[in-house]
Amino acid sequence: MSEEALQLKDEGNAYFKAKKYPQAIAMYTKSIELDPQPPVLCNRAFALLRTDCAGAAISDATRSIELEPGFAKAYYRRASGHVMLGKWKEALKDYKRVTLMKPGDADAAKKFKECDKEVKRQAFLLAIKTEEKGLLCEKYANDGASPWLEIPIPPSYEGPRLPADGKVSHEFVEDLKKHLSAEKMPSKRDVTGMLVEGRNVFASFPNAVPVNIPEGARVNVCGDVHGQFYDLLHLFKLGGDPSPDNWYLFNGDFVDRGSYSVECFLLLLGYKLLYPNYFFMSRGNHEGRSLNTVYGFEGEVNAKLGSGGDLFDLFQEAFQSLPLSHVINGKVWTVHGGLYGQDNVTIDMINKETRFCEPDSGLMCQMLWSDPMDMPGRAPNKRGVGVTFGPDVTENFLKTNGLDYMIRSHEVKDEGYVVEHGGKCITVFSAPNYCDTVGNKAAFITLKHPDFRPSYTVFTSQPHPGKKSMAYSRMFQFQ
């Protein structure tokens, strides 16, 4: 390695140690451009993993393997990228290679064992699910085989109780908010009932929901909250409680990473049940089993509500029923991730997509995963899923559908939001000091009838009790 390339690598290492991952990636990139050495490619892969760019990390690790097939660390890094995407079988192959190359490496052996355990667990769960018929939400409906009303409530329980008809009142939601704020869980009966009723409500909406704000009302568009419940409560203090005059639209990624994801989703679901036509929720890429298994939501559900039952699967059925996008007064399109790998996509095409699934390709997958870029055209997404799209792609979609601009989320931003593509593409992110470490601000966007010009409210993180973010995540086990 040349002296200049070595110096750049060392600078990258210093940035990595300081947790300044974008700067580390920049230095590693300069070093690789001068002399593409496998160790530096693996260092960049590690930094890319820390910035959620699993696809780019896998690419770097693969390139490192091509240059030096016996470099064990490259297989290790590639395995971590596969785990980040929930691709356990692919990760298992790479961990196995590492254990064969380094039979005395206890850490590699541990990760191989954990990954193998997860692959077998998922195969077992899939086998059980294949044998079952119908939705769990149908099973637990009041006219189903095991009505949620018949689930016993412990005699000591003093929290909110969902009425027998599943109809939510303002009093119920306020009691739920207080109960959750005190770090207390609703009973399994009430959580099951809410999920059953919520799934039915979500499923009644199309993939692209028309949201028509009347004169005198407003809508607050919010980005990722990622289980940061006490910051979510602060957001409602700033924006005001949901009401027929104060609408809300939450743009996906309610769960994972933050350690109060159950609380976030249940409160948002409570408001959705209370105001189904004034309170809206879109699906994000983290509303799915593969990421929930890695980033904490599955572990959190099991820890707070008990393992071994159907609740996690009921959450998944609710997640799969979430709409994919919203169109505000025919002017503003909202989606969690972004746009597509093809031009001339119409709202009608979006509405024809089957959303009650776990997508790994196609329009729905791109809606959940894609990101904007400054350059025109399209490129592979560094996340390893979806695409990156330029201003011309945004312009084509908006023009095709007669829209003014789009609001998306999916990416942390220093100031909570950023305006790109000549004002046509706005990113909003509503989880301040993301994962208790990033130090970013958060924001939400208020749109008022009749001009729907975006107004931004920026806020900072609030103290929270109990566990830090990522307390239930399994990701650090595999890095």
Side-chain angles (χ1 to χ4, degrees), residues 76-102:
Y76 194 97
R77 294 284 181 252
R78 191 166 70 177
S80 297
H82 286 313
V83 170
M84 183 173 280
L85 294 175
K87 297 180 178 180
W88 294 93
K89 290 182 179 180
E90 289 84 350
L92 184 62
K93 295 175 186 177
D94 282 333
Y95 283 131
K96 185 175 182 178
R97 291 292 296 268
V98 177
T99 59
L100 292 173
M101 291 176 177
K102 293 191 170 185

Side-chain angles (χ1 to χ4, degrees), residues 211-219 243-247 278 328-329 331 447-452:
V211 177
N212 295 308
I213 311 297
E215 188 172 354
R218 65 181 187 178
V219 61
S243 73
D245 294 325
N246 191 37
W247 299 19
Y278 310 135
I328 301 174
N329 287 69
K331 296 175 177 288
L447 309 177
K448 296 181 180 180
H449 194 284
D451 60 8
F452 301 97

Side-chain angles (χ1 to χ4, degrees), residues 30 63 94 125 133 166 170 233 250 259 318 339 407 412 475:
K30 290 180 180 180
R63 186 179 174 193
D94 282 333
L125 292 174
K133 295 182 180 179
H170 185 269
L233 294 178
F250 280 83
S259 297
L339 296 177
I407 299 175
V412 61
M475 193 60 233

Side-chain angles (χ1 to χ4, degrees), residues 259-280:
S259 297
Y260 297 90
S261 294
V262 173
E263 288 88 341
C264 282
F265 188 72
L266 289 181
L267 180 59
L268 295 175
L269 180 57
Y271 277 125
K272 180 63 181 177
L273 294 173
L274 178 62
Y275 295 127
N277 296 311
Y278 310 135
F279 194 95
F280 300 91

Side-chain angles (χ1 to χ4, degrees), residues 86-242:
K87 297 180 178 180
W88 294 93
K89 290 182 179 180
E90 289 84 350
L92 184 62
K93 295 175 186 177
D94 282 333
Y95 283 131
K96 185 175 182 178
R97 291 292 296 268
V98 177
T99 59
L100 292 173
M101 291 176 177
K102 293 191 170 185
D105 190 324
D107 186 61
K110 180 181 178 182
K111 286 179 170 56
F112 172 77
K113 183 178 179 180
E114 287 296 316
C115 192
D116 184 54
K117 181 180 176 181
E118 181 60 28
V119 168
K120 291 175 179 175
R121 185 182 78 96
Q122 291 193 9
F124 174 72
L125 292 174
L126 180 62
I128 293 175
K129 195 167 184 65
T130 302
E131 294 176 1
E132 295 175 346
K133 295 182 180 179
L135 293 167
L136 285 170
C137 282
E138 293 175 351
K139 171 184 173 182
Y140 286 105
N142 282 340
D143 59 354
S146 302
W148 62 265
L149 270 173
E150 296 181 5
I151 298 174
I153 296 178
S156 60
Y157 179 70
E158 296 180 347
R161 296 194 179 188
L162 189 65
D165 60 3
K167 303 296 183 183
V168 165
S169 65
H170 185 269
E171 181 182 8
F172 173 85
V173 177
E174 286 301 307
D175 288 346
L176 177 66
K177 184 191 298 185
K178 292 176 183 177
H179 196 70
L180 296 171
S181 300
E183 297 187 85
K184 297 177 182 178
M185 283 289 106
S187 72
K188 289 184 180 181
R189 167 200 178 274
D190 296 292
V191 173
T192 301
M194 289 182 69
L195 292 171
V196 168
E197 298 300 324
R199 196 265 175 194
N200 291 337
V201 171
F202 290 136
S204 69
F205 289 91
N207 291 341
V209 181
V211 177
N212 295 308
I213 311 297
E215 188 172 354
R218 65 181 187 178
V219 61
N220 303 295
V221 182
C222 309
D224 306 35
V225 296
H226 273 301
Q228 297 185 196
F229 180 66
Y230 296 90
D231 294 318
L232 175 62
L233 294 178
H234 185 57
L235 184 157
F236 283 128
K237 287 182 180 178
L238 295 172
D241 287 339

